[in-house]
Amino acid sequence: MLRKLTKLSTLKVRCEVRALSSLSQTSQNIFDRNAKRLQKERAALSEDVGLYDYLKEEVGFRLADRVFDIKRDFKAAADIGCSRGYLSRHILAESVEQLTLTDTSATMLEQAQGTPGLKMVKLVKDEEHLDFEDNSLDLVISSLSLHWVNDLPGCFARIKRSLKPDGVFIASMFGGDTLYELRSSLQLAELERKGGISPHISPFTQIRDIGSLLNRAGFTMLTIDTDELVIGYPSMFELMWDLKGMAENNAAFNRPAHLSRETMLAASAIYQELYAKPNENGIPATFQIIYFVGWKPGPNQPQPLERGTGEVSLKDLGSIIEKGGKLDTKTGD
């Protein structure tokens, strides 16, 4: 009976996840920004806040590596939603002359540190209300912060305006498959116990939407890829505790006030039954990370050729391969 319920409900859950994630593409106020600020302040004031840095530290390191791949010196850069400095810890002064750090949490902003020699300016700013001067930045970076923004199109447009021509925007966000195990388990438990479903996990943006949002904002030469980090936890309760320590607990306006003990125990049992691997202790939690790079148009950027200017037809591709990559473009032989 549980397996039949699981099949039907999992399909329903996946449909709801897609529907919820599509809402984040509009300018509706889905997230309570003040609640998120308070969550970040509470996490930053905890004595053991460093214990929960492992996920964001790893993603920050991987994103900083993408900055190093761009062989350019950036005079002015901004880290949007810097939290405790998961990016600034890896940005070298040789690459960035001055880095402006912004976050809604003054305590987290204070705790952010940089590498030796890196000039930093710290500003308490909301990602939804950026007011950098137009054409003032060479680089904008952001790691695991923009998934809490209500108006992503507007945010991307403001970032693009703040960049100089040929400036670059490099960021990471949680993708739509993040914590699908936890989401499904909580919803199945509530469906079984209460006959209904409440949104206990905030909606995340789908990867297919990122490209269209960046194009809509005016970015060019887009690069988008995903990565999955699967982390093991003793049980669902440790996972939820760590999410709170990361300040990644739910901040949607329609979040329920509390979750009953009975539902929590049922969700933990379902999580263990559906997702725990045989002969292994604990449960896995999947974090899907979307990385993307977008460029503001500039006069020196490579431009695509005009339509119809190609000298070789794609239908001749087989002949090119057979002849070792050589083809007479005049005769087609």
Side-chain angles (χ1 to χ4, degrees):
M1 180 66 181
L2 177 59
R3 296 192 180 278
K4 287 184 178 179
L5 177 64
T6 299
K7 271 190 176 179
L8 294 172
S9 302
T10 301
L11 179 59
K12 183 178 181 181
V13 167
R14 291 185 183 277
C15 292
E16 289 183 353
V17 171
R18 294 191 181 98
L20 283 170
S21 64
S22 65
L23 292 176
S24 64
Q25 313 311 317
T26 72
S27 58
Q28 299 178 14
N29 286 329
I30 299 172
F31 305 116
D32 187 340
R33 297 291 298 172
N34 186 57
K36 178 50 58 182
R37 180 185 64 82
L38 294 175
Q39 290 172 358
K40 296 176 78 171
E41 282 287 313
R42 189 182 303 115
L45 291 171
S46 175
E47 294 181 357
D48 58 352
V49 61
L51 293 176
Y52 309 103
D53 285 346
Y54 55 91
L55 176 62
K56 294 187 176 182
E57 176 70 20
E58 176 64 24
V59 176
F61 174 78
R62 297 186 184 190
L63 189 64
D65 197 46
R66 284 164 166 77
V67 177
F68 299 146
D69 288 339
I70 300 175
K71 306 304 179 184
R72 180 185 295 187
D73 295 331
F74 301 102
K75 290 186 177 180
D79 181 358
I80 307 302
C82 67
S83 295
R84 285 175 23 89
Y86 304 110
L87 271 172
S88 59
R89 299 175 191 176
H90 306 290
I91 300 297
L92 302 179
E94 291 79 4
S95 299
V96 176
E97 185 174 317
Q98 178 172 301
L99 181 63
T100 301
L101 305 179
T102 74
D103 202 89
T104 56
S105 168
T107 305
M108 281 198 166
L109 192 63
E110 183 181 353
Q111 295 174 0
Q113 301 296 323
T115 56
L118 179 64
K119 298 177 183 178
M120 295 195 306
V121 176
K122 297 181 179 181
L123 300 174
V124 177
K125 284 183 181 292
D126 192 328
E127 297 94 317
E128 293 192 342
H129 305 289
L130 299 175
D131 55 357
F132 291 105
E133 292 184 11
D134 292 356
N135 305 308
S136 62
L137 300 171
D138 301 292
L139 168 69
V140 174
I141 51 179
S142 180
S143 182
L144 298 185
S145 173
L146 297 178
H147 55 280
W148 294 115
V149 172
N150 286 300
D151 182 14
L152 267 181
C155 179
F156 285 176
R158 285 186 288 272
I159 289 173
K160 188 230 175 187
R161 286 198 301 267
S162 70
L163 285 169
K164 298 177 182 178
D166 204 29
V168 60
F169 175 35
I170 306 176
S172 64
M173 294 175 61
F174 284 124
D177 289 338
T178 296
L179 297 175
Y180 73 88
E181 305 100 335
L182 178 61
R183 188 193 305 271
S184 299
S185 300
L186 287 171
Q187 292 184 336
L188 286 170
E190 280 200 326
L191 194 63
E192 181 186 359
R193 291 289 190 271
K194 299 182 178 180
I197 293 176
S198 299
H200 296 286
I201 299 177
S202 297
F204 298 111
T205 306
Q206 296 288 343
I207 184 174
R208 63 177 178 271
D209 299 319
I210 293 295
S212 60
L213 287 173
L214 290 170
N215 276 320
R216 176 178 169 183
F219 287 99
T220 61
M221 297 194 301
L222 306 181
T223 303
I224 305 173
D225 63 286
T226 62
D227 197 4
E228 281 193 355
L229 298 177
V230 181
I231 301 174
Y233 294 90
S235 73
M236 185 191 78
F237 300 104
E238 284 79 10
L239 167 59
M240 297 181 72
W241 183 262
D242 276 22
L243 291 175
K244 183 178 180 181
M246 298 175 194
E248 289 297 332
N249 36 333
N250 195 356
F253 276 111
N254 62 346
R255 64 190 184 278
H258 67 279
L259 192 60
S260 69
R261 181 174 180 272
E262 181 184 6
T263 302
M264 289 279 285
L265 292 173
S268 180
I270 292 172
Y271 201 133
Q272 184 73 29
E273 175 68 21
L274 293 182
Y275 301 109
K277 295 182 179 179
N279 304 321
E280 289 189 15
N281 295 324
I283 49 97
T286 300
F287 296 87
Q288 184 188 43
I289 314 298
I290 303 174
Y291 299 94
F292 54 91
V293 180
W295 295 79
K296 183 173 181 176
N300 298 323
Q301 286 180 357
Q303 300 295 325
L305 295 175
E306 293 184 8
R307 185 178 179 87
T309 58
E311 297 181 348
V312 179
S313 173
L314 288 176
K315 68 180 182 180
D316 298 322
L317 194 58
S319 301
I320 297 175
I321 296 174
E322 290 177 1
K323 296 182 179 182
K326 296 180 180 180
L327 181 68
D328 188 338
T329 58
K330 294 182 178 179
T331 65
D333 296 325

